[in-house]
Amino acid sequence: MTSQRDVFELSGPIHLTSINWNCPHHQRSVAASLVQGAYVLERDRQLNRQGQEACAPPWWERFHFEVARKLIDDADLSIFGAIYKFKPSTNSHGSTVPNTPKFVIVFRGTVTKKESLSRDLKLDLQVLKNHLHQTSRFTIAMQAVRSLVAAFGHQHIWLAGHSLGAAMATLAGKTMAKEGMHLKAFLFNPPFFSAPIERIKDRKVKHGIRIAGSIITAGLALALKGPRHKCNSFTMLSAWVPCLFVNKSDDICSEYIGYFEHRKKMEEIGAGNIEKLATENSMKDLFLSAFGVESESLHLLPSASLTMNSSPSPDFKSAHGIHQWWRSDLDFQTKVYLYE
């Protein structure tokens, strides 16, 4: 049975009859639609929907893209992503607009169908353990990214992903940024595994907990790495500004709000040096390094354009879902955080 959420005409951004590629809202909506296309590609495969019964094509054809390549997991043969090539219509001038992507590489999140659930959950666990870079799925993804960048340059290649897929896109983007190539990235509900401090309504209590955490983390970093330690990883990443899209009610990603906002508040009270050291490290990574285990938490990002959706979410599925990001009635705020 076909879900309404898979059908573009029922659930997609049908209000976008033409695209202004200079508009961040249009870019966000198209990127989210392309990610949904990867989800539906996998569900089409599992449900054996082919030809006219396939639901996936409208999710990219509506915006003049075609699938250049499906990204296939070597463990369960599931489709975990896609490479889209932009093919403007003959009467379109989109190819002359600077912000038009030539290619968009997208990664889906966890699919709850039994054919792929086991593999996806194992990868979710690898994200939690900071071992995603050691998985074969990420190796396949990274090979695709490198091949495309080598052939066409990085200037007009976008990355996009949702949930587990956002973790994949984040890691791919960080890897390329460390090599001096900054790919435009759209990270929808990217995982940030931490205690849900953002859920605390009392601002003073919340701020106090964050200050205590910063002091402890900075102290551990000083003890383990020394006062002259400089995080070269953060320095290399600072010029990369990925676009993060988080829902305030989604505990999987909402801590990004506090992560960036707390840094700003610490600077305002004169504790910027403490927070700089804290924001470059995580307690988990520091504890592991004490035992000789190298680890770098995925959420450690120097800079970002953070969009927060404050619209009411009736349940977790709505707060964490990809569909929210092309709605025309979003109650959202966008702030840009640049690391110096």
Side-chain angles (χ1 to χ4, degrees):
M1 183 176 179
T2 300
S3 168
Q4 177 176 318
R5 298 173 71 85
D6 286 354
V7 181
F8 182 88
E9 292 299 328
L10 297 177
S11 301
I14 57 176
H15 59 282
L16 291 180
T17 56
S18 63
I19 301 300
N20 176 1
W21 289 105
N22 293 311
C23 175
H25 309 314
H26 286 198
Q27 292 180 3
R28 179 196 73 230
S29 298
V30 173
S33 182
L34 296 179
V35 172
Q36 174 66 359
Y39 274 108
V40 185
L41 269 173
E42 171 57 14
R43 287 194 281 266
D44 278 350
R45 182 190 74 86
Q46 293 188 17
L47 297 172
N48 197 30
R49 296 187 304 219
Q50 301 180 26
Q52 293 183 347
E53 294 183 353
C55 295
W59 291 96
W60 59 80
E61 290 177 349
R62 178 66 171 259
F63 308 114
H64 305 292
F65 285 91
E66 64 181 12
V67 175
R69 176 186 168 188
K70 299 174 184 175
L71 299 177
I72 311 296
D73 191 290
D74 62 341
D76 63 357
L77 301 182
S78 64
I79 300 170
F80 70 88
I83 299 175
Y84 297 105
K85 182 178 182 180
F86 184 59
K87 297 285 287 186
S89 59
T90 55
N91 60 347
S92 170
H93 300 288
S95 59
T96 65
V97 179
N99 288 324
T100 303
K102 291 181 179 178
F103 293 91
V104 182
I105 308 171
V106 307
F107 309 106
R108 64 163 175 82
T110 303
V111 171
T112 56
K113 300 288 185 181
K114 63 179 181 179
E115 290 86 349
S116 56
L117 181 60
S118 175
R119 173 64 168 166
D120 288 351
L121 289 179
K122 288 179 182 178
L123 288 161
D124 289 329
L125 181 60
Q126 296 306 312
V127 174
L128 180 62
K129 295 165 61 178
N130 297 334
H131 290 167
L132 183 61
H133 62 288
Q134 298 175 355
T135 65
S136 60
R137 181 180 290 190
F138 179 71
T139 299
I140 295 168
M142 204 62 228
Q143 288 173 345
V145 172
R146 290 192 184 281
S147 296
L148 211 58
V149 169
F152 299 97
H154 68 277
Q155 293 84 354
H156 299 290
I157 295 175
W158 289 4
L159 294 173
H162 173 248
S163 193
L164 170 60
M168 298 273 290
T170 301
L171 188 53
K174 290 177 75 170
T175 302
M176 299 306 293
K178 289 176 182 178
E179 299 174 12
M181 290 170 281
H182 303 138
L183 277 66
K184 191 174 183 70
F186 298 82
L187 311 175
F188 300 101
N189 302 81
F192 188 128
F193 294 109
S194 172
I197 301 173
E198 197 60 32
R199 283 280 189 175
I200 300 174
K201 295 182 179 180
D202 190 310
R203 292 187 179 183
K204 290 183 179 180
V205 172
K206 182 163 56 177
H207 191 40
I209 292 174
R210 293 197 188 282
I211 290 176
S214 294
I215 293 173
I216 294 171
T217 303
L220 281 172
L222 284 172
L224 294 171
K225 298 183 177 181
R228 295 184 179 181
H229 166 72
K230 183 176 181 181
C231 187
N232 292 324
S233 176
F234 247 57
T235 303
M236 289 186 289
L237 288 174
S238 59
W240 182 52
V241 188
C243 300
L244 275 62
F245 302 93
V246 305
N247 188 303
K248 193 174 182 178
S249 300
D250 179 11
D251 290 340
I252 288 180
C253 64
S254 62
E255 278 305 301
Y256 271 111
I257 301 169
Y259 175 77
F260 286 106
E261 192 62 28
H262 180 62
R263 182 196 302 175
K264 179 181 176 182
K265 290 180 178 178
M266 290 289 277
E267 292 172 354
E268 291 173 353
I269 66 174
N273 288 334
I274 293 175
E275 183 58 23
K276 178 174 285 189
L277 194 56
T279 200
E280 293 175 354
N281 298 276
S282 75
M283 282 191 277
K284 176 184 176 182
D285 295 342
L286 290 169
F287 277 122
L288 289 173
S289 68
F291 293 96
V293 179
E294 290 297 321
S295 176
E296 181 180 322
S297 292
L298 200 60
H299 71 262
L300 297 179
L301 292 172
S303 306
S305 172
L306 180 69
T307 297
M308 178 181 69
N309 180 10
S310 299
S311 302
S313 299
D315 50 36
F316 171 76
K317 188 175 183 180
S318 299
H320 190 65
I322 187 69
H323 289 68
Q324 65 186 296
W325 297 114
W326 57 69
R327 283 176 51 185
S328 58
D329 59 345
L330 281 183
D331 178 14
F332 66 90
Q333 292 179 321
T334 299
K335 294 183 180 179
V336 178
Y337 298 90
L338 300 177
Y339 181 84
E340 297 180 359

